[in-house]
Amino acid sequence: MKYLKSLKPVLIVYVLQYIILILLSSIYYLVFNKDLTSFISNELSIILTIINLLIITYLIKKYNIKSKHINPLSCYPLILLGISLSTIFNTTLFIFSKPNKVTIPLYISIISTGFIGPILEEILFRYILFNNLNKFNNKFKSLIIATIIFAVIHLNLIKIIYASILGIILNITYIKSNNIKVPILIHISANIMSIFLKEFNIYILLLGLISFFISIKILKKGRLNYE
C-alpha cells in the first residue's frame, strides 16, 4: 500500500495525460473527420505542453519545491554529461536502426521534449517518487525502484534500456547533490541533444565517449557540491 501511495502522483499525471490525448483526439476526429497525424503533431502537442507546464507549476506549489542556486561554472560538467550520454546512446542506436522521422515542429520539440518534459519527469521521479520511497527504504533500494519505474513508464524497449541507464545516473546525481536542479540540467541537455542527432557518425560517437569521461572526472573532482 505504501508503494502505491508513493507512486500515486506519477500515475495521476500520466493517466491525466493519456485521458487528455484520447479525449481531444476523439473530439477532433468526430468534429472534423480528418486524419489525426497533423493534429497530434501540432495542436495537440502544444496543448499537452501547456498542460504539463501547469502541472509543473501545481507540483512546485503543492510540494513546496525549492532548490539551491547552482554556480554557472558548475553547470558545464552537468551539461556535458547529459550531452555525452545522449550522443553515445543515440549514435550507437543508429548502427542498428534508422532514426524515426520527426513530425513535430522543431520549436515544439525543443520546448516540450527538451525542457518541459525533463523538468516534469525530474520533479515526479526524483523529487517526489524517490523521496517518498526513501521514507521507508534505504537510498539504494529507493534508487533501484525509482529507476525501474522511470524506465518502464517509457514503454518502448529501446527507450526502457536508455531510461534505465539515464535514470540511475540522474538518481545518483540527485542523491549526491541534494539539489533537483542537477538532474534537471543533465536531463534537459540529454533530451535537447537527442533532437539534433540524425545519423551514425563515428567521430561524434568518439567525441561523446571522450566527453563522458571528462564530465565524470570533473564531477568526481568537484564531488557534486551543488547544495
Side-chain angles (χ1 to χ4, degrees):
M1 192 68 179
K2 54 188 177 182
Y3 284 98
L4 185 60
K5 187 177 180 180
S6 298
L7 189 58
K8 184 179 176 181
V10 176
L11 291 175
I12 290 174
V13 170
Y14 277 85
V15 169
L16 178 64
Q17 288 178 335
Y18 280 111
I19 289 174
I20 293 171
L21 191 153
I22 294 171
L23 183 62
L24 292 181
S25 297
S26 300
I27 292 173
Y28 179 84
Y29 182 77
L30 290 172
V31 173
F32 298 102
N33 194 25
K34 293 181 179 180
D35 180 63
L36 291 173
T37 305
S38 177
F39 173 70
I40 293 174
S41 299
N42 293 278
E43 290 86 352
L44 186 56
S45 296
I46 295 173
I47 293 171
L48 287 175
T49 298
I50 294 172
I51 289 172
N52 285 340
L53 185 58
L54 293 174
I55 292 173
I56 290 171
T57 304
Y58 169 77
L59 292 175
I60 290 173
K61 290 182 178 179
K62 178 178 173 61
Y63 292 92
N64 193 28
I65 298 174
K66 296 178 181 179
S67 60
K68 298 292 180 67
H69 174 71
I70 299 179
N71 188 306
L73 290 176
S74 301
C75 294
Y76 297 126
L78 300 175
I79 295 172
L80 188 62
L81 178 58
I83 290 174
S84 62
L85 285 169
S86 180
T87 300
I88 293 168
F89 179 81
N90 287 289
T91 305
T92 304
L93 181 62
F94 293 152
I95 300 174
F96 306 100
S97 63
K98 294 181 179 180
N100 296 325
K101 291 183 178 180
V102 179
T103 56
I104 300 176
L106 181 60
Y107 76 96
I108 297 178
S109 187
I110 291 174
I111 294 172
S112 61
T113 304
F115 287 96
I116 303 300
I119 294 172
L120 178 58
E121 288 184 346
E122 291 311 304
I123 288 174
L124 283 174
F125 292 99
R126 246 58 64 186
Y127 195 92
I128 298 175
L129 178 60
F130 175 81
N131 286 334
N132 283 344
L133 291 170
N134 210 34
K135 292 175 182 177
F136 52 87
N137 290 303
N138 58 50
K139 287 184 178 181
F140 178 76
K141 189 175 181 180
S142 299
L143 183 152
I144 297 300
I145 295 172
T147 300
I148 291 172
I149 295 172
F150 175 67
V152 171
I153 209 80
H154 286 79
L155 301 176
N156 180 285
L157 179 59
I158 299 297
K159 289 182 178 180
I160 287 176
I161 295 172
Y162 177 48
S164 298
I165 299 169
L166 182 62
I168 290 172
I169 292 173
L170 293 172
N171 278 309
I172 290 174
T173 54
Y174 177 57
I175 292 170
K176 289 186 175 294
S177 66
N178 193 32
N179 190 339
I180 192 61
K181 287 180 182 178
V182 170
I184 284 177
L185 193 54
I186 297 171
H187 201 159
I188 286 175
S189 304
N191 278 26
I192 290 179
M193 187 63 188
S194 66
I195 295 172
F196 295 97
L197 291 170
K198 303 297 182 182
E199 60 184 12
F200 174 76
N201 186 306
I202 186 63
Y203 299 108
I204 292 178
L205 177 58
L206 290 173
L207 188 60
L209 289 167
I210 294 170
S211 299
F212 175 75
F213 289 111
I214 290 174
S215 63
I216 293 297
K217 187 174 182 179
I218 295 173
L219 289 172
K220 279 187 176 180
K221 188 176 180 180
R223 297 180 183 178
L224 279 177
N225 293 321
Y226 293 100
E227 293 188 62

